[in-house]
Amino acid sequence: MTPAAHPSRPRNPFAALAHRLESEVFSGLLMVAAALIALTWANSPWRGAYESLSTTVVGPHALHLDLDLATWAADGLLAVFFFVVGLELKQEMVVGSLRDLREAALPMLAAVFGMAGPAVVYTAVQLVGSGDVSGWAVPTATDIAFAVAVLSIFGKGMPPAARTFLLTLAVVDDLLAIIVIAVFFSHGLNVLALLGALAVVALFGLLVQRGVTHWFLLIPLGAVAWWLMHASGVHATIAGVLLGLTVPARPTRREPTGMTARFTHLVHPFSAGIALPLFALMAAGVNLVDAGGLGQVLTDPVAVGVYLGLPLGKILGIWGSVVVLTRFTGLRLGHGVDTPDVLGLATIAGIGFTVSLLIAGLAFGEGSTMEHARAAVLLGTAISAVLGAVLLQVRVRTHRRGTPSARTGTIHVRRH
């Protein structure tokens, strides 16, 4: 087929890469590749070089930004990811799947229980094991990029509304994860720095509300807001979320698709193609060799709580709550989605890669416990992905034997 047959395909290699990154499958595989490289490197004979790289300190000491590269990845690069999360939250709340509370109520409540379930599983394991419940938040988050990638690959033939359910679930999960990070993992609050950060965010919001979108104004303001938030003791990624939430979402004559959609389109390639893979490279390099080997990781109560909490906790929280709510309240599933479908969706919601790795570092700091927790995140994510893929394939075969009307529904697109 000649190139003329694909007039919309970008010819510029950078534009072509940005276009590829819009695919959840491609961006998800990119993160998987970065994580596998990190895990292999951190357990190879050259693991000392990986440790040296991740602990290399760069940045100006005068601004208290002399941070190691692992911290820059978690606090700096992830702020870009959370800015995109803020944009998507605003989009969904104003014109998307959270606009109609009657439609969104069931997945929203399922998301709340979907964070409570893993926390309960983790805490229960610790009460009969280590007694240390400080890592309760590690298995609570869902990595929507991976989850949607698994659904895209193994869920072809599911009702389109299944994707909408998962995306709505993820929006609320993102919001709850942000609240958890802000409330439980902020230390030594500097009120003046926090007020300064909020003032800069307000100025950023005032500019975008008035249609001022010059990059040479907004990017420096975003950087200052991030720096002040970092100095305040509140986790710096919160600045990214707040900045994203200030951007207007409603379509206008000047912004026919909405400013949040345009900003997401511009920033998403950097988030998915650079920020998340580099974070994965810095965060997923768990040194199992010097941490006692895989056997010690598998038996550490902290790790057990995490790798059981991700798949089991999400299933109990999401699927269990949907079963109970649809039986004893007026809330109902619709558009061809039923409770066995939700079982598959709940299982892939146990893919907790990005935010779970971040919270593991915040909860345990440096040391073998943090290494075990991060290894357990990778293991729990793998279990959730494999088990979820199997359950989705079972449901796909069931739907293909059903009627066409079972495969109708609406969809709101959301990208990570």
Side-chain angles (χ1 to χ4, degrees):
M1 189 174 291
T2 63
H6 299 282
S8 62
R9 182 175 294 172
R11 293 184 178 181
N12 181 291
F14 295 104
L17 178 59
H19 181 71
R20 289 291 306 278
L21 287 168
E22 291 180 1
S23 164
E24 293 96 348
V25 176
F26 180 76
S27 56
L29 290 175
L30 195 60
M31 278 196 292
V32 169
L36 289 176
I37 290 171
L39 193 60
T40 303
W41 189 3
N43 291 280
S44 73
W46 304 279
R47 58 185 176 275
Y50 178 86
E51 176 69 18
S52 177
L53 176 67
S54 63
T55 56
T56 298
V57 175
V58 296
H61 175 73
L63 298 176
H64 303 287
L65 292 178
D66 45 340
L67 310 173
D68 59 51
L69 291 180
T71 304
W72 274 113
D75 289 12
L77 288 175
L78 276 195
V80 179
F81 164 75
F82 277 101
F83 176 67
V84 177
V85 169
L87 292 172
E88 292 170 342
L89 283 170
K90 184 67 173 288
Q91 178 84 6
E92 296 298 329
M93 288 187 291
V94 175
V95 297
S97 58
L98 297 182
R99 178 182 54 180
D100 186 347
L101 288 179
R102 291 173 299 179
E103 288 283 334
L106 186 58
M108 287 173 68
L109 288 171
V112 175
F113 286 104
M115 292 195 76
V120 170
V121 171
Y122 178 90
T123 302
V125 171
Q126 303 320 305
L127 291 179
V128 297
S130 70
D132 180 7
V133 298
S134 59
W136 64 270
V138 176
T140 59
T142 295
D143 191 304
I144 189 56
F146 278 167
V148 172
V150 172
L151 180 62
S152 300
I153 295 171
F154 298 99
K156 292 178 180 178
M158 291 279 285
R163 179 181 169 105
T164 304
F165 185 96
L166 180 62
L167 296 179
T168 306
L169 189 79
V171 170
V172 180
D173 185 278
D174 282 343
L175 182 60
L176 294 174
I178 291 162
I179 293 171
V180 166
I181 292 171
V183 173
F184 295 99
F185 299 105
S186 298
H187 306 286
L189 184 64
N190 183 326
V191 176
L192 288 179
L194 178 59
L195 291 175
L198 295 177
V200 176
V201 169
L203 178 58
F204 181 98
L206 179 64
L207 291 176
V208 294
Q209 291 290 335
R210 294 189 174 185
V212 179
T213 60
H214 303 302
W215 67 267
F216 52 84
L217 290 176
L218 298 186
I219 292 179
L221 281 175
V224 172
W226 176 88
W227 171 61
L228 288 170
M229 191 67 72
H230 174 79
S232 75
V234 176
H235 198 266
T237 54
I238 302 301
V241 179
L242 295 178
L243 291 168
L245 288 172
T246 67
V247 179
R250 294 190 185 280
T252 63
R253 188 184 312 171
R254 196 171 180 178
E255 295 278 358
T257 61
M259 194 180 292
T260 51
R262 179 163 69 90
F263 276 28
T264 300
H265 178 73
L266 291 172
V267 181
H268 176 265
F270 182 83
S271 173
I274 297 177
L276 289 178
L278 286 179
F279 170 74
L281 188 65
M282 290 290 101
V286 182
N287 184 344
L288 298 175
V289 175
D290 298 326
L294 185 60
Q296 187 169 334
V297 171
L298 292 175
T299 56
D300 183 342
V302 167
V304 174
V306 172
Y307 70 71
L308 286 184
L310 281 167
L312 181 60
K314 289 292 183 181
I315 290 171
L316 292 175
I318 296 172
W319 179 76
S321 67
V322 168
V323 170
V324 172
L325 289 170
T326 53
R327 178 168 295 184
F328 296 107
T329 73
L331 297 174
R332 294 291 180 267
L333 293 164
H335 305 297
V337 177
D338 53 22
T339 48
D341 294 330
V342 175
L343 179 60
L345 298 175
T347 306
I348 61 173
I351 298 173
F353 187 79
T354 306
V355 180
S356 288
L357 287 174
L358 172 64
I359 295 177
L362 296 174
F364 297 112
E366 297 298 324
S368 61
T369 301
M370 186 269 287
E371 295 287 310
H372 292 177
R374 285 186 166 175
V377 168
L378 300 179
L379 179 58
T381 290
I383 293 171
S384 298
V386 173
L387 181 57
V390 172
L391 292 174
L392 289 174
Q393 282 289 286
V394 171
R395 294 306 299 161
V396 165
R397 287 194 290 269
T398 300
H399 282 288
R400 283 175 179 167
R401 291 195 297 265
T403 62
S405 61
R407 297 191 292 272
T408 60
T410 57
I411 180 170
H412 297 283
V413 177
R414 175 176 182 263
R415 295 188 182 96
H416 260 335

